[in-house]
Amino acid sequence: MPVTVLLIEDNPGDIRLTREAFQESGFAVDLHVAEDGVDAMRFLRREGIDADAPRPDFVLLDLNLPRKDGREVLALIKEDPNLKTIPTVVLTTSDAEADIVRSYQLHANCYISKPLEFQKFSEVVRQIYDLWLQTATLMRNCA
Amino acid sequence: MLDAPRSSGLLEGVASIGGTCPPTAEATRLARMEARYRGLLKAAPDAMVVVNETGEIVVVNMQAEKRFGFHRHELLGKKMTCIIPGGSVEQLIADCTRTAAESMAQQIATGIELTGRRKDGSEFPVEIMLSPLDDADGILVTAAIRDISVRKAADAHLVQMEARYRGLLEAAPDAMVVVNQAGEIIIVNVQAEKRFGFHRHELLGEKMTRIIPGGFAERLIADGARTAADALAQQIGAGIELTGRRKDGSEFPIEIMLSPLDGAEGILVTAAIRDISVRKAADAHLVRMEARYRELLEAAPDAMVVINQAGLIVLMNLQAEKQFGYKREEAIGKDVTSIIPVGFAERLVADGMRSAQESVEQQIGSGIELIARRRDGSEFPIEIMLSPLGGEQGILVTAAIRDITKRKNADAYLLRKVEELNRSNEELGQFAYIASHDLQEPLRMVASYTELLARRYKGKLDSDADEFMAYAVDGAHRMQQLIKDLLTYSRVATNERRLRETSSQDALTHALHNLRAAIADANAHITSDPMPTVFADATQLVQVFQNLISNAIKYQSHGAPRVHISAAQTGTGGWIISIQDNGLGIEKQYFEKIFGMFQRLHQRDEFSGTGIGLAVCKKIIEQHGGRIWVTSEPGEGSLFQFTLTES
């Protein structure tokens, strides 16, 4: 059974890159993409056109997004009793101290700076998969 | 005083003497004489007794009866010694009878002092004036007898007073000289002797000009138009400054005080003479000091205004005239608020709780910034410094007033510039940060996709394509490194709060730990002396050590790198930290350049790196208030040094 991942990212290049990275790693991933914060929340709350959306096992969140930005999305996920159990990894180009601190204060499960090279990016994606989707025991395994 | 008996003309009216004593043959004659004189004698204020040639009393008046306590009949016919016991009376009377003309000449105006005896035996001093009386019955002598007890007592008192006066005179601290109206010295005290170097007997009777050559005698009698009393009255109480001359001819300044003394010999003048050499010298000194003070005041580069406790301007220098646009004479006497409207007068007397003295003391040495007003009403900023000045009129306050318009303008300008600079710095920092972030995104795309391209298609296209892709990937990576370094550099902002006592030993250890792989790879030998505690941001200090040591290891041509780190105290409470290597060394012309951003001295294929390391070090050290520099010889290694403060 493939794991369901929601990638919240506005940059098509990064979306494709993430897709390629998962592909290269050979994992069975059902990758869904939301290109802004509003879409992301609709997907997570299964509202409107996303009423039938699956509940993701895992969220990859970029911080800089149009409309509702990544920090707000993170806050909303972690405030929502239904959503806060979903592991949410901040994956962003920023390595600014302020962003790192703020993200953890908002209960991000993990903060990762996007590596500059594809090689490394690919490795990071694999490590995320290994840790969060293989090593860790997640909520979805519970009744 | 004894007019009646002395006038011979009056005697012609004397006719007879009536009385019971003695009851002799002469009784009739005496009675006749008494009758002749009675009227006259009765009226005389003195005791009057008339004696005949044999010394017997033939006439007595009522005053004589009273004075001596006898009844008339108890005295008539008795010898004169009954009432004047001294034998000389007889002799006198005898003399008197020799020739009337002779004795008259002898007696007139001279009273003879003798002792009278009353009936009760008590005695009292008398003065007797005798006058002969040529009578038909022979020569008689009229004796006018005056009780001089009171005068005697007064005389005794006078003697006593004079002795006391003399005592006072001698005890006086000043030289005292008493002068008569002729300007002759009649009394001199011991101080006067000392002061002038004369012996008393050398001065007595001398003219005052011996010791005070000019000014004294003139004042004494001033001029013909004024009386001596006038001239004196004028001088009393006022000290007159003259010149005294000693016996040896030397002169000295004196002050004399005159006072009149009504003496038996007419008006005398007592002159108290004080040597004022010392005071004169002090005065001269004071005048000199004041002149100097005035000169100082005038020469001062600041406007100087002296103010009294009432807040009135009492003095003003040239600068003050210029600054305030007032002429000195206009400003003096004006209230200080006319030149410094607010803040000064208030400070001068502050409030009722503080004394003026205190409030003045409080201000000393502290510059107070106030607003001054010129005569034309225009205002300008000033700084004043107050200092108290003990004067004859109480405490004065000297205010040094400096026009600080220029400084104020400069301050404002500086403040504006600092603000501008801060803003532009902030903008620049923000710019670097944002630019590097925003540049990062597309660059990551370029890098990632060329890499992806290379992974997927390397060897599948032609060899040119492979080479092109390799350059594209390399370029993208280098660009990424530059941006990363730029970001690092822009983030070097030393936060004051993170500066603390830091062990540079720990920072060094930390840096070496971070570099352990590079050190091992290069087989570098790193040594260090004990390192001090400095005032720094620990993380940034690690960064500096790391960059410098990494450079020392990297720029090597051959052999094992040897790096030594040491510290030495500066004279001013700081430290110089040195990193000596045995590397390539640097030519002198590049000593400055290497600390610039992205400055490199080597080709890319020789040594990697963007050239940001030293720029970051420089920025960190300078933000710590220190300095970084290099000394080196090509081939001889380099010595990088930087300073840090201790606290």
Side-chain angles (χ1 to χ4, degrees):
Chain A
M1 184 186 165
V3 289
T4 304
V5 173
L6 174 63
L7 173 65
I8 308 171
E9 169 67 79
D10 66 322
N11 182 355
D14 272 319
I15 296 168
R16 178 66 195 266
L17 219 50
T18 310
R19 215 181 274 286
E20 291 295 330
F22 275 122
Q23 213 157 36
E24 283 204 359
S25 65
F27 306 133
V29 171
D30 180 14
L31 186 68
H32 295 265
V33 177
E35 294 195 28
D36 66 41
V38 176
D39 285 359
M41 290 317 295
R42 190 180 60 225
F43 184 90
L44 287 166
R45 288 169 179 159
R46 300 179 196 179
E47 292 165 347
I49 54 164
D50 290 320
D52 297 327
R55 177 188 164 89
D57 295 308
F58 196 82
V59 172
L60 286 175
L61 174 66
D62 188 14
L63 287 181
N64 299 311
L65 298 172
R67 299 215 275 178
K68 199 183 287 281
D69 109 329
R71 296 159 193 86
E72 286 176 78
V73 173
L74 180 59
L76 289 170
I77 291 171
K78 292 304 177 184
E79 273 167 17
D80 190 321
N82 290 322
L83 303 177
K84 69 181 176 188
T85 53
I86 302 171
T88 305
V89 171
V90 174
L91 186 64
T92 178
T93 34
S94 168
D95 57 358
E97 210 176 279
D99 285 338
I100 298 167
V101 172
R102 179 99 184 102
S103 297
Y104 282 114
Q105 279 171 346
L106 291 172
H107 308 291
N109 295 75
C110 181
Y111 186 101
I112 295 171
S113 287
K114 282 178 191 170
L116 297 172
E117 294 138 26
F118 177 72
Q119 174 78 42
K120 283 186 183 158
F121 182 72
S122 184
E123 272 170 36
V124 164
V125 168
R126 210 189 64 238
Q127 282 166 357
I128 292 170
Y129 184 87
D130 282 349
L131 178 62
W132 293 98
L133 304 173
Q134 296 286 313
T135 313
T137 304
L138 300 178
M139 280 284 286
R140 71 164 187 169
N141 302 323
C142 305
Chain B
M1 59 182 78
L2 297 173
D3 288 338
R6 209 182 290 160
S7 162
S8 59
L10 284 175
L11 296 179
E12 281 165 6
V14 176
S16 65
I17 293 174
T20 52
C21 167
T24 62
E26 285 208 315
T28 326
R29 192 173 52 91
L30 286 174
R32 202 176 58 240
M33 276 177 62
E34 193 191 35
R36 202 186 300 164
Y37 290 115
R38 182 162 302 159
L40 186 67
L41 293 180
K42 239 184 196 168
D46 294 318
M48 303 289 284
V49 177
V50 182
V51 183
N52 64 16
E53 270 172 284
T54 61
E56 287 165 351
I57 296 169
V58 291
V59 179
V60 170
N61 74 350
M62 203 169 68
Q63 288 298 327
E65 287 177 298
K66 274 190 194 164
R67 216 44 94 194
F68 294 94
F70 284 101
H71 229 278
R72 181 177 310 233
H73 59 82
E74 291 174 302
L75 288 177
L76 291 174
K78 292 281 171 61
K79 290 282 182 190
M80 186 69 169
T81 46
C82 279
I83 52 170
I84 313 280
S88 58
V89 165
E90 257 100 28
Q91 186 57 51
L92 277 173
I93 293 166
D95 284 349
C96 220
T97 55
R98 271 181 300 182
T99 68
E102 248 180 300
S103 59
M104 272 182 76
Q106 198 178 20
Q107 303 306 332
I108 290 168
T110 55
I112 305 151
E113 287 183 14
L114 291 168
T115 302
R117 182 186 289 158
R118 298 194 189 86
K119 191 181 176 185
D120 63 10
S122 63
E123 298 189 338
F124 60 102
V126 294
E127 186 184 56
I128 300 182
M129 299 283 282
L130 300 175
S131 48
L133 192 64
D134 207 358
D135 190 80
D137 303 314
I139 291 172
L140 296 179
V141 175
T142 304
I145 303 165
R146 177 171 290 184
D147 180 348
I148 54 168
S149 313
V150 174
R151 205 185 75 197
K152 276 287 183 190
D155 282 355
H157 181 68
L158 209 65
V159 166
Q160 209 176 12
M161 286 305 286
E162 197 177 300
R164 195 173 302 163
Y165 175 69
R166 244 188 196 284
L168 273 174
L169 211 65
E170 289 301 339
D174 294 319
M176 306 287 285
V177 176
V178 181
V179 185
N180 65 15
Q181 278 298 304
E184 290 160 354
I185 297 166
I186 58 169
I187 299 176
V188 170
N189 74 351
V190 67
Q191 288 297 327
E193 288 183 296
K194 279 190 197 162
R195 213 51 88 191
F196 292 94
F198 282 103
H199 233 280
R200 199 168 294 228
H201 60 79
E202 292 177 303
L203 287 176
L204 293 175
E206 288 290 328
K207 288 279 183 192
M208 193 67 168
T209 46
R210 272 295 288 278
I211 56 170
I212 303 175
F216 184 81
E218 292 84 337
R219 267 161 215 271
L220 213 56
I221 318 279
D223 57 42
R226 287 193 299 182
T227 67
D230 271 344
L232 267 178
Q234 201 176 32
Q235 307 304 337
I236 292 168
I240 309 156
E241 289 187 11
L242 293 171
T243 300
R245 182 184 289 163
R246 298 192 190 86
K247 190 180 178 184
D248 64 10
S250 60
E251 299 194 334
F252 61 104
I254 55 170
E255 183 185 58
I256 61 176
M257 299 278 284
L258 302 180
S259 51
L261 184 70
D262 206 353
E265 301 116 292
I267 290 174
L268 300 178
V269 174
T270 304
I273 303 167
R274 183 167 292 178
D275 181 347
I276 54 168
S277 312
V278 173
R279 204 185 73 196
K280 274 287 181 190
D283 283 353
H285 181 68
L286 212 65
V287 166
R288 255 197 329 272
M289 286 304 286
E290 197 178 301
R292 196 169 303 161
Y293 173 71
R294 251 178 198 285
E295 273 167 35
L296 271 176
L297 209 66
E298 284 304 326
D302 293 320
M304 305 285 284
V305 176
V306 180
I307 292 128
N308 68 13
Q309 280 296 307
L312 301 179
I313 298 166
V314 296
L315 210 61
M316 196 179 221
N317 73 351
L318 192 70
Q319 287 299 322
E321 283 186 306
K322 282 188 192 162
Q323 279 198 9
F324 292 98
Y326 280 100
K327 280 266 165 244
R328 214 168 291 218
E329 52 273 20
E330 290 177 309
I332 289 171
K334 270 202 193 328
D335 199 286
V336 71
T337 50
S338 55
I339 58 166
I340 305 172
V342 177
F344 185 76
E346 291 84 336
R347 265 159 215 274
L348 213 56
V349 191
D351 57 43
M353 300 295 290
R354 289 190 301 182
S355 71
Q357 171 91 41
E358 270 179 329
S359 62
V360 164
E361 275 167 7
Q362 201 178 31
Q363 306 303 338
I364 293 170
S366 61
I368 309 156
E369 290 189 7
L370 294 171
I371 299 294
R373 183 180 291 160
R374 293 193 192 86
R375 189 167 187 264
D376 62 12
S378 58
E379 297 192 333
F380 61 103
I382 54 167
E383 183 184 59
I384 62 176
M385 301 275 283
L386 303 181
S387 53
L389 185 70
E392 279 177 29
Q393 306 111 298
I395 290 173
L396 298 176
V397 175
T398 304
I401 302 169
R402 185 166 292 176
D403 182 344
I404 53 169
T405 308
K406 275 186 190 156
R407 203 183 76 195
K408 280 277 175 193
N409 288 346
D411 283 355
Y413 178 76
L414 210 64
L415 204 67
R416 220 166 41 240
K417 279 287 158 195
V418 166
E419 271 168 20
E420 274 172 28
L421 212 61
N422 278 344
R423 199 165 46 242
S424 103
N425 249 344
E426 207 170 297
E427 277 169 8
L428 209 65
Q430 224 155 22
F431 174 77
Y433 183 71
I434 291 167
S436 49
H437 262 87
D438 293 348
L439 283 174
Q440 201 90 307
E441 281 292 329
L443 191 62
R444 207 163 41 76
M445 290 297 105
V446 173
S448 298
Y449 281 100
T450 45
E451 211 184 317
L452 196 57
L453 207 58
R455 280 164 81 115
R456 298 258 171 98
Y457 301 102
K458 195 175 177 194
K460 290 182 183 164
L461 303 171
D462 59 17
S463 61
D464 277 353
D466 288 352
E467 197 186 336
F468 296 167
M469 282 188 287
Y471 280 130
V473 169
D474 180 56
H477 284 172
R478 272 192 293 110
M479 183 74 167
Q480 280 173 340
Q481 192 55 49
L482 283 171
I483 290 170
K484 203 174 142 189
D485 288 347
L486 196 62
L487 208 57
T488 306
Y489 184 84
S490 77
R491 278 183 192 164
V492 176
T494 302
N495 191 331
E496 291 278 328
R497 282 173 306 167
R498 294 169 77 161
L499 291 180
R500 55 179 56 107
E501 305 265 303
T502 298
S503 161
S504 61
Q505 185 69 61
D506 288 352
L508 177 61
T509 305
H510 195 146
L512 292 176
H513 180 79
N514 289 350
L515 291 170
R516 65 193 183 282
I519 292 168
D521 284 352
N523 197 22
H525 186 64
I526 317 278
T527 53
S528 71
D529 289 347
M531 299 297 285
T533 296
V534 291
F535 200 67
D537 175 329
T539 312
Q540 291 186 337
L541 189 56
V542 170
Q543 179 84 65
V544 170
F545 276 128
Q546 198 170 317
N547 288 3
L548 293 175
I549 295 166
S550 134
N551 281 351
I553 295 168
K554 189 157 78 177
Y555 297 102
Q556 284 283 344
S557 50
H558 50 76
R562 301 182 75 85
V563 183
H564 183 72
I565 300 104
S566 59
Q569 209 146 14
T570 66
T572 53
W575 290 91
I576 296 180
I577 294 173
S578 305
I579 290 106
Q580 173 75 60
D581 66 46
N582 64 339
L584 295 172
I586 302 159
E587 283 178 56
K588 196 171 182 186
Q589 55 182 313
Y590 300 120
F591 283 1
E592 288 284 330
K593 196 182 177 194
I594 54 170
F595 291 101
M597 260 216 275
F598 302 129
Q599 294 300 324
R600 296 169 49 86
L601 299 183
H602 304 279
Q603 302 215 331
R604 227 166 260 128
D605 48 6
E606 281 181 292
F607 298 102
S608 61
T610 58
I612 197 73
L614 288 177
V616 168
C617 287
K618 183 176 159 79
K619 193 172 175 188
I620 289 173
I621 294 301
E622 284 179 355
Q623 289 200 355
H624 276 71
R627 208 164 62 80
I628 186 167
W629 68 97
V630 65
T631 42
S632 178
E633 287 266 343
E636 300 290 321
S638 301
L639 173 64
F640 280 87
Q641 292 178 295
F642 60 90
T643 57
L644 283 175
T645 53
E646 207 162 26
S647 60

